[in-house]
Amino acid sequence: MLLLFCIVCVISFLGSVHPGTVNLAVMQTTLSHNKQAGIWLALGGSLPEIVYSSLAAGGLMLIPANSHWMDLLTIAPIPVLLGAGLVAFRQKPVELTEVADPKPTLPFWKGFLLGSTNPQLLPFWSAVWLYLSRVPMGSHTLVPINQPASPWVFALGTATGAFGLLILVVWLTDRLRQRIVQYMNGRWVNRLTGILFIGMALWQSIQVLA
């Protein structure tokens, strides 16, 4: 279970590198306000990961392991991960500006609302759960399906990884400021995230065909 938690943390951390709405909001809030406001927004923005990943894992655990639906669902992560990778790879760099705003307003709830409106979370974490459920670990799989705590460990891992990345964003933004604005405007972040997702899709394809 600890290995599952760590792997999900890494996937969530790397997946959150993609400059989405929450990441950009954390940067803008840290630039225009302070680290504390950025941290509160980061906390709020990472909590929806628990909700969506719990729904994904809990719903999929209701399907019997020997059902023909599981065979079909093993193919489902491939287009989802491939699509997410292509979108990330082709997305244009974002622009950040350091604009002073003297009126911070409830950064925690702003982050929570931004994270909750991400339509990619449920299909993405469903795909990751199915992907990890196929990874062999000795006589079992990486996700121990027969253990009720698996979805909770999975969900906590998703939120921890996302929050860790957002805290890093806060620290880098506050420390570097002008440099981080120029750094994040490059294409390398999108390409790195795209390569990660496409690689997972290709590996899942190999597992299905094997």
Side-chain angles (χ1 to χ4, degrees), residues 71 135 138 169 175 197:
D71 296 331
V135 177
V169 169
R175 185 175 181 84
F197 291 159

Side-chain angles (χ1 to χ4, degrees), residues 10-206:
V10 172
I11 293 175
S12 181
F13 184 94
L14 295 177
S16 300
V17 169
H18 182 65
T21 55
V22 177
N23 303 54
L24 298 181
V26 168
M27 291 181 188
Q28 293 285 19
T29 300
T30 305
L31 287 172
S32 58
H33 300 309
N34 49 49
K35 288 192 299 183
Q36 287 73 20
I39 291 172
W40 277 110
L41 197 147
L43 179 61
S46 60
L47 289 182
E49 300 276 350
I50 296 179
V51 178
Y52 284 107
S53 58
S54 297
L55 289 173
L60 292 171
M61 285 190 69
L62 296 177
I63 302 176
N66 57 352
S67 171
H68 70 280
W69 285 105
M70 287 303 298
D71 296 331
L72 295 176
L73 288 174
T74 56
I75 304 175
I78 298 174
V80 174
L81 293 171
L82 184 61
L86 292 175
V87 169
F89 198 84
R90 298 180 61 183
Q91 185 171 347
K92 295 180 179 180
V94 296
E95 294 184 0
L96 292 174
T97 57
E98 185 174 358
V99 179
D101 183 1
K103 299 179 181 180
T105 55
L106 302 175
F108 173 85
W109 293 110
K110 178 181 179 180
F112 186 83
L113 290 174
L114 288 174
S116 299
T117 55
N118 186 350
Q120 298 178 354
L121 286 180
L122 185 58
F124 174 75
W125 286 121
S126 297
V128 172
W129 174 269
L130 288 168
Y131 173 80
L132 295 179
S133 298
R134 304 285 291 183
V135 177
M137 291 292 296
S139 58
H140 303 284
T141 58
L142 182 59
V143 176
I145 302 297
N146 58 340
Q147 295 191 19
S150 296
W152 297 107
V153 174
F154 181 81
L156 290 176
T158 64
T160 303
F163 183 65
L165 185 279
L166 293 176
I167 289 297
L168 179 61
V169 169
V170 171
W171 182 80
L172 288 175
T173 303
D174 182 70
R175 185 175 181 84
L176 302 178
R177 291 194 172 265
Q178 292 297 333
R179 291 184 181 180
I180 196 64
V181 169
Q182 299 175 0
Y183 193 55
M184 293 302 296
N185 283 343
R187 288 183 177 271
W188 75 270
V189 177
N190 294 338
R191 290 175 177 173
L192 177 63
T193 306
I195 290 172
L196 170 68
F197 291 159
I198 293 173
M200 291 175 63
L202 293 176
W203 178 253
Q204 180 67 8
S205 301
I206 295 173

